[in-house]
Amino acid sequence: MEKKLFAAIAAGAMLCGMLTAPVSAAETYQKGDVNMDGVVDIADAQLVLQEYTFAIVGVDYGLTSEQLELASITGSTTKLFNSEQAIPIGVSDANVIFMYYIDKQVVDSSAADIVSYYIYQ
Protein backbone atom coordinates (compact mmCIF):
# COMPACT_ATOMS: atom_id res chain seq x y z
CA MET A 1 0.00 0.00 0.00
CA GLU A 2 2.81 2.42 0.90
CA LYS A 3 4.56 1.76 -2.42
CA LYS A 4 1.39 2.56 -4.38
CA LEU A 5 0.84 5.75 -2.38
CA PHE A 6 4.46 6.82 -2.91
CA ALA A 7 4.18 6.07 -6.65
CA ALA A 8 0.98 8.12 -6.90
CA ILE A 9 2.54 11.06 -5.07
CA ALA A 10 5.68 10.88 -7.23
CA ALA A 11 3.62 10.73 -10.42
CA GLY A 12 1.57 13.73 -9.28
CA ALA A 13 4.68 15.72 -8.48
CA MET A 14 6.16 14.96 -11.89
CA LEU A 15 2.90 15.99 -13.59
CA CYS A 16 2.84 19.27 -11.67
CA GLY A 17 6.43 19.90 -12.71
CA MET A 18 5.52 19.44 -16.36
CA LEU A 19 2.55 21.79 -16.10
CA THR A 20 4.42 24.76 -14.70
CA ALA A 21 5.19 27.57 -17.10
CA PRO A 22 8.80 28.10 -18.10
CA VAL A 23 10.51 30.86 -16.17
CA SER A 24 12.08 33.67 -18.18
CA ALA A 25 15.47 35.14 -17.34
CA ALA A 26 13.76 38.40 -16.35
CA GLU A 27 11.80 36.52 -13.68
CA THR A 28 14.94 34.84 -12.33
CA TYR A 29 17.57 37.58 -12.67
CA GLN A 30 17.50 41.31 -12.08
CA LYS A 31 17.28 43.50 -15.16
CA GLY A 32 20.83 44.55 -16.03
CA ASP A 33 22.39 41.31 -14.78
CA VAL A 34 23.47 40.29 -18.27
CA ASN A 35 25.97 37.62 -17.23
CA MET A 36 23.39 36.20 -14.80
CA ASP A 37 25.73 36.00 -11.82
CA GLY A 38 23.28 37.64 -9.41
CA VAL A 39 24.95 41.07 -9.40
CA VAL A 40 24.55 44.10 -11.68
CA ASP A 41 28.08 45.39 -12.16
CA ILE A 42 30.66 46.63 -14.64
CA ALA A 43 31.04 43.17 -16.16
CA ASP A 44 27.42 43.37 -17.31
CA ALA A 45 27.98 46.77 -18.92
CA GLN A 46 31.05 45.36 -20.65
CA LEU A 47 29.02 42.49 -22.13
CA VAL A 48 26.49 44.95 -23.52
CA LEU A 49 29.26 47.05 -25.10
CA GLN A 50 30.86 43.94 -26.61
CA GLU A 51 27.57 42.79 -28.11
CA TYR A 52 26.91 46.30 -29.46
CA THR A 53 30.40 46.56 -30.98
CA PHE A 54 30.28 43.14 -32.58
CA ALA A 55 26.77 43.82 -33.96
CA ILE A 56 27.79 47.02 -35.72
CA VAL A 57 30.83 45.39 -37.35
CA GLY A 58 28.97 42.22 -38.29
CA VAL A 59 30.47 39.68 -35.89
CA ASP A 60 28.14 37.41 -33.93
CA TYR A 61 29.21 37.72 -30.31
CA GLY A 62 26.37 35.59 -29.12
CA LEU A 63 24.45 36.89 -26.14
CA THR A 64 21.43 34.66 -25.68
CA SER A 65 17.91 35.99 -26.07
CA GLU A 66 17.60 35.87 -22.27
CA GLN A 67 20.75 37.95 -21.86
CA LEU A 68 19.52 40.46 -24.44
CA GLU A 69 16.24 40.71 -22.53
CA LEU A 70 18.15 41.45 -19.32
CA ALA A 71 20.39 43.97 -21.10
CA SER A 72 17.55 45.91 -22.72
CA ILE A 73 16.69 48.76 -20.38
CA THR A 74 16.34 51.96 -22.40
CA GLY A 75 14.40 50.67 -25.39
CA SER A 76 17.25 51.45 -27.78
CA THR A 77 18.09 49.15 -30.67
CA THR A 78 21.18 48.57 -32.79
CA LYS A 79 20.93 47.58 -36.42
CA LEU A 80 23.11 44.63 -37.29
CA PHE A 81 25.81 45.32 -39.86
CA ASN A 82 24.72 44.67 -43.43
CA SER A 83 21.28 43.46 -42.33
CA GLU A 84 17.74 44.63 -41.70
CA GLN A 85 17.77 42.93 -38.28
CA ALA A 86 18.44 44.74 -35.02
CA ILE A 87 19.26 43.79 -31.45
CA PRO A 88 17.32 45.36 -28.55
CA ILE A 89 20.33 47.03 -26.92
CA GLY A 90 22.59 50.00 -27.43
CA VAL A 91 25.34 52.01 -25.79
CA SER A 92 22.72 53.71 -23.61
CA ASP A 93 21.91 50.35 -21.97
CA ALA A 94 25.56 49.80 -21.06
CA ASN A 95 25.72 53.36 -19.72
CA VAL A 96 22.67 52.85 -17.49
CA ILE A 97 24.09 49.58 -16.13
CA PHE A 98 27.44 51.27 -15.44
CA MET A 99 25.89 54.34 -13.79
CA TYR A 100 23.52 52.16 -11.70
CA TYR A 101 26.47 50.12 -10.45
CA ILE A 102 28.49 53.25 -9.60
CA ASP A 103 25.50 54.83 -7.88
CA LYS A 104 24.85 51.72 -5.78
CA GLN A 105 28.54 51.23 -4.86
CA VAL A 106 29.77 54.79 -4.37
CA VAL A 107 26.70 56.84 -3.52
CA ASP A 108 24.77 53.97 -1.91
CA SER A 109 21.67 54.84 -3.88
CA SER A 110 18.25 53.81 -2.65
CA ALA A 111 17.07 52.82 -6.15
CA ALA A 112 15.34 49.48 -5.75
CA ASP A 113 16.14 48.25 -9.24
CA ILE A 114 17.78 49.39 -12.44
CA VAL A 115 14.53 50.17 -14.25
CA SER A 116 13.44 52.55 -11.47
CA TYR A 117 16.91 54.05 -11.51
CA TYR A 118 16.71 54.66 -15.27
CA ILE A 119 13.21 56.14 -15.15
CA TYR A 120 13.99 58.62 -12.38
CA GLN A 121 17.37 59.81 -13.70
Side-chain angles (χ1 to χ4, degrees):
M1 179 68 174
E2 288 180 22
K3 288 182 181 180
K4 288 183 181 181
L5 179 60
F6 177 75
I9 292 172
M14 287 177 22
L15 179 61
C16 288
M18 288 188 286
L19 296 177
T20 58
V23 177
S24 74
E27 294 173 11
T28 305
Y29 299 99
Q30 179 181 354
K31 196 85 158 158
D33 184 12
V34 182
N35 61 8
M36 298 188 262
D37 66 353
V39 180
V40 176
D41 58 14
I42 293 173
D44 299 302
Q46 183 180 15
L47 283 174
V48 174
L49 287 175
Q50 285 176 339
E51 183 72 15
Y52 168 80
T53 303
F54 288 137
I56 62 173
V57 298
V59 177
D60 181 20
Y61 178 68
L63 288 183
T64 66
S65 59
E66 291 86 6
Q67 288 174 306
L68 288 171
E69 180 183 356
L70 292 169
S72 181
I73 299 162
T74 66
S76 62
T77 60
T78 299
K79 187 177 175 199
L80 301 178
F81 177 78
N82 225 4
S83 171
E84 295 301 315
Q85 294 180 321
I87 56 174
I89 61 169
V91 173
S92 58
D93 295 301
N95 186 52
V96 170
I97 292 169
F98 177 74
M99 295 306 295
Y100 174 78
Y101 170 74
I102 294 298
D103 205 38
K104 292 294 269 186
Q105 295 300 313
V106 177
V107 182
D108 195 27
S109 169
S110 62
D113 60 73
I114 198 165
V115 175
S116 300
Y117 175 82
Y118 171 67
I119 291 171
Y120 295 111
Q121 289 302 307

